[in-house]
Amino acid sequence: MFTTRPEILGTFGVVTSTHWLATASGMAMLEKGGNAFDACAAAAFVLQVVEPHLVGPAGDMPAVFYSAQTKKVEVLCAQGPAPQAATIAAYKALGLDMIPGSGLLATVVPGAFGGWMTLLRDHGRLRLREVLEPAIGYFENGHPMLPRVSDSIRELTDLFTHEWPTSGAVYLPGGNVPEARKLFANKAAAATYRRILDEAEAAGSDRQEQIRAAYDAWYKGFVAEAMDRFCRSTEAMDSSGRRNKGLLTADDMARWQPAYETPASATYHDWEVFKIGPWGQGPVFLQTLKILEGIDLGSMGPASPEFVHSIVEAMKLAFADREAYYGDPDFVKVPLATLLSEDYAAGRRSLIGERASLELRPGIVPGFEAQVAHALKALGAIAQPGETSAAVGEPTMASMVAAGRKGDTVHIDVIDKWGNMIAATPSGGWLQSSPVIPELGFPLNSRAQMFWLEEGLPASLAPGKRPRTTLTPSIAFERGEPRLAFGTPGGDQQEQWQLGLFLRRVHHGLNLQEAIDLPLFHTQHFPSSFYPRGSRPGHLMIEESIGAAALAELTRRGHVVEKAPAWTVGRLTAAERDGNGLLRAAPTPRLMQAYAAGR
């Protein structure tokens, strides 16, 4: 089968990410003697520089990883929670019935930096300077700006000029939109990371002590102090159409820390897939697998209308359960064992017919009847406010197809020669989220928009609670052996694109590049996780390269088909290790910037 790029093969190590400079920087860590965790962190810091419209230093990050030393899979939760002052009453008092998709009110504790420091401290091999130097160098000396970043800044020129002047000071040097493919530097962000590194190395020569000092500089030192001052002193325009101050404080920063967790998991034929828990949408992937396990996908072509229909209808059911049941399990009871059980999946599978469903149909778990009814009532009352000039939501692939130039978060997969593997999906803190903090050179995140300002829902806002994130990396074992690390950007579409990759790999024996290159698809049938939370019942977006006959058959089955141009949907990357130690990696060709490397 023709593929857009070769599937990378090697034995020393493979790195794949959504930008070639990040991939190259991660590979450089392996060449220095670092492991998969060093490489992943270095790549992530570079992505903050080269894809600032998709991720920033003050974002968040979940990772799923397998350690060859501990022989177990763990989740690293670097998703920060809501500030202590972030109550439903506080937002209602401002006249809001939905948390804005941009601006300072949408900020939670920035978790990504703490997550990377925790990973490096506990599992890395290299010194902090080695891991940070590629990103600092690109911040300080410049990197070739992507055309999509330049276009994003151009669209935001009025906002940066009239409402967010601190962002204009960074992204409109001399009052001009930076040119695509020309070097662009962010000296303020470089200075922030250099100061963190200086304070880390002032703590002594011990590697772990340096990492702890860097962590403290962020969460208990000058970074937290600058964020606190900015939130208290700045009224920033947001997507509500008003100017509001933020609620995040230095105390919120100091009281939080990342955590290791046992992953959610489910078996599927000879495979077991590991995901983050129901504080994110990871179990949607697992629920969909359990529903599909009783359907003979292997007898269907990997780009056939029957294959697409079966997956989409199963996903609709799993995403309906997301709306009814998922939330931070530290705050709400989530019946995950039932949702992933064989009996429950069989009942859900029976709802799949020849015709596309136009309904949102969560299942009823005994004891949760009132909660499901309340969720359906709340979802039925979703308002559809118009967007203002302030950028909102996550810049997802739906925007990419409409505008032809927007992105949607980042992703990294790494496997090293020792067998360590990690999949991580950093996001948030993109340049559209809120004004740049001038002392730091970057903005805060907008992840709080995923909370509901309705009491009694699993994803209702509460101080210290994690928002129900869409970020969802994946690790998969085959017959008990660690095999795959994979993921994608894309908001609510992340699980959907990953399912297409995984199921094509499992049922049709395609290699990673073949599976990624085939036409991709997703539905927006259920409520969006992002402001303003719209839904499109029966919707199916699919790349037109699937062919006219398949499109006609999907339309006949009742799907509201939206044709996407070829090579415009999804940003998947993946890495694999076979039983003989051969390593493989593949990136998406879509947007022409993701890259895999290895040897």
Side-chain angles (χ1 to χ4, degrees):
M1 182 183 295
F2 170 82
T3 57
T4 55
R5 303 175 184 188
E7 183 185 55
I8 298 297
L9 301 174
T11 56
F12 175 78
V14 290
V15 182
T16 183
S17 83
T18 50
H19 194 290
W20 67 88
L21 290 179
T23 295
S25 299
M27 198 68 201
M29 297 302 111
L30 298 183
E31 299 288 358
K32 287 175 179 286
N35 61 19
F37 311 118
D38 298 304
C40 190
F45 283 114
V46 169
L47 287 170
Q48 297 172 8
V49 188
V50 298
E51 295 195 293
H53 61 319
L54 310 181
V55 67
D60 31 38
M61 181 275 290
V64 186
F65 67 95
Y66 170 78
S67 167
Q69 183 173 359
T70 65
K71 306 295 184 188
K72 64 180 181 179
V73 180
E74 293 183 89
V75 166
L76 176 57
C77 174
Q79 173 58 67
Q84 290 301 303
T87 63
I88 291 175
Y91 285 89
K92 294 284 191 181
L94 295 171
L96 297 170
D97 57 9
M98 193 176 294
I99 296 176
S102 63
L104 298 176
L105 282 176
T107 295
V108 299
V109 173
F113 186 83
W116 295 122
M117 292 303 103
T118 300
L119 183 72
L120 291 171
R121 182 196 68 203
D122 298 341
H123 297 282
R125 295 162 60 94
L126 299 179
R127 301 185 75 79
L128 183 60
R129 174 174 291 277
E130 294 176 289
V131 174
L132 288 179
E133 274 187 333
I136 293 174
Y138 287 126
F139 267 138
E140 195 162 63
N141 303 317
H143 65 280
M145 176 168 280
L146 291 169
R148 288 174 186 84
V149 181
S150 179
D151 289 347
S152 295
I153 294 169
R154 181 175 292 105
E155 292 175 355
L156 296 164
T157 297
D158 286 345
L159 179 67
F160 285 2
T161 301
H162 302 295
E163 294 290 350
W164 296 358
T166 56
S167 294
V170 172
Y171 291 109
L172 296 171
N176 300 311
V177 175
E179 288 188 57
R181 301 185 179 88
K182 297 292 180 66
L183 291 180
F184 176 82
N186 184 340
K187 302 286 188 181
T192 295
Y193 276 121
R194 286 218 175 274
R195 181 173 173 183
I196 290 171
L197 193 54
D198 288 344
E199 293 191 15
E201 293 179 341
S205 60
D206 181 77
R207 175 184 170 278
Q208 290 192 330
E209 286 301 320
Q210 288 185 0
I211 293 172
R212 289 190 186 95
Y215 181 98
D216 287 346
W218 186 283
Y219 291 96
K220 301 176 183 178
F222 79 96
V223 175
E225 292 165 2
M227 292 176 177
D228 184 303
R229 282 193 304 271
F230 194 74
C231 286
R232 285 188 288 109
S233 63
T234 305
E235 289 190 335
M237 175 63 72
D238 59 39
S239 53
S240 71
R242 306 176 203 167
R243 298 177 184 88
N244 290 293
K245 293 182 179 181
L247 302 175
L248 182 71
T249 68
D251 181 62
D252 293 317
M253 299 282 287
R255 69 168 62 218
W256 177 80
Q257 59 184 6
Y260 294 111
E261 298 181 351
T262 301
S265 66
T267 57
Y268 181 77
H269 299 293
D270 291 335
W271 292 77
E272 184 174 13
V273 181
F274 300 88
K275 303 286 286 187
I276 68 172
W279 51 271
Q281 66 177 5
V284 165
F285 189 103
L286 306 178
Q287 280 195 249
T288 306
L289 287 183
K290 299 309 292 184
I291 294 170
L292 291 170
E293 197 165 21
I295 297 174
D296 186 11
L297 295 179
S299 67
M300 306 172 187
S304 65
E306 296 81 10
F307 182 80
V308 174
H309 174 81
S310 299
I311 295 171
V312 169
E313 292 307 297
M315 288 191 301
K316 289 177 183 178
L317 297 169
F319 274 106
D321 282 348
R322 182 190 74 169
E323 299 305 314
Y325 295 104
Y326 291 17
D328 186 344
D330 293 340
F331 285 75
V332 297
K333 184 179 179 182
V334 182
L336 194 57
T338 298
L339 296 175
L340 295 177
S341 68
E342 302 284 349
D343 288 346
Y344 184 82
R348 302 294 275 158
R349 188 183 308 121
S350 69
L351 298 176
I352 297 176
E354 285 295 306
R355 299 282 300 172
S357 172
L358 302 181
E359 300 176 83
L360 189 70
R361 299 182 289 178
I364 306 298
V365 175
F368 289 81
E369 293 86 352
Q371 178 176 302
V372 173
H374 183 42
L376 287 173
K377 181 179 179 182
L379 292 168
I382 292 174
Q384 297 294 333
E387 296 184 3
T388 71
S389 61
V392 298
E394 183 180 70
T396 61
M397 289 301 282
S399 303
M400 289 181 59
V401 173
R405 57 181 176 271
K406 292 186 179 179
D408 58 301
T409 296
V410 299
H411 184 79
I412 312 154
D413 303 300
V414 188
I415 306 177
D416 64 29
K417 63 183 177 182
W418 297 286
N420 299 302
M421 62 175 61
I422 182 167
T425 311
S427 186
W430 42 69
L431 59 84
Q432 310 96 310
S433 61
S434 64
V436 165
I437 301 171
E439 302 99 308
L440 302 179
F442 53 80
L444 291 165
N445 61 74
S446 54
R447 190 62 59 179
Q449 67 183 286
M450 312 190 110
F451 286 116
W452 285 82
L453 298 182
E454 171 86 19
E455 298 281 3
L457 298 173
S460 297
L461 174 67
K465 187 178 183 180
R466 289 171 288 183
R468 192 197 68 200
T469 185
T470 55
L471 308 174
T472 175
S474 306
I475 293 284
F477 280 29
E478 184 183 23
R479 297 186 182 91
E481 294 297 322
R483 188 72 69 232
L484 283 170
F486 59 103
T488 180
D492 293 315
Q493 289 85 358
Q494 289 182 30
E495 301 295 14
Q496 305 189 58
W497 298 331
Q498 290 184 72
L499 276 160
L501 163 66
F502 179 74
L503 292 168
R504 287 163 170 166
R505 169 69 185 81
V506 169
H507 288 291
H508 303 99
L510 301 182
N511 72 36
L512 298 179
Q513 195 66 55
E514 290 170 338
I516 287 172
D517 283 358
L518 281 176
L520 290 176
F521 54 90
H522 64 262
T523 177
Q524 295 173 351
H525 171 83
F526 46 86
S528 169
S529 295
F530 294 91
Y531 181 96
R533 296 186 178 277
S535 62
R536 303 171 66 183
H539 170 263
L540 170 60
M541 177 175 278
I542 188 164
E543 289 179 316
E544 62 187 5
S545 50
I546 197 168
L551 292 170
E553 172 61 16
L554 290 165
T555 300
R556 187 193 69 79
R557 288 176 180 242
H559 296 279
V560 182
V561 174
E562 179 181 3
K563 291 189 295 183
W567 310 113
T568 60
V569 174
R571 291 185 71 203
L572 288 159
T573 69
E576 181 173 359
R577 184 178 192 268
D578 72 16
N580 298 314
L582 183 64
L583 306 180
R584 306 170 184 268
T588 181
R590 297 160 177 92
L591 296 187
M592 298 183 294
Q593 66 195 53
Y595 243 83
R599 70 170 180 85

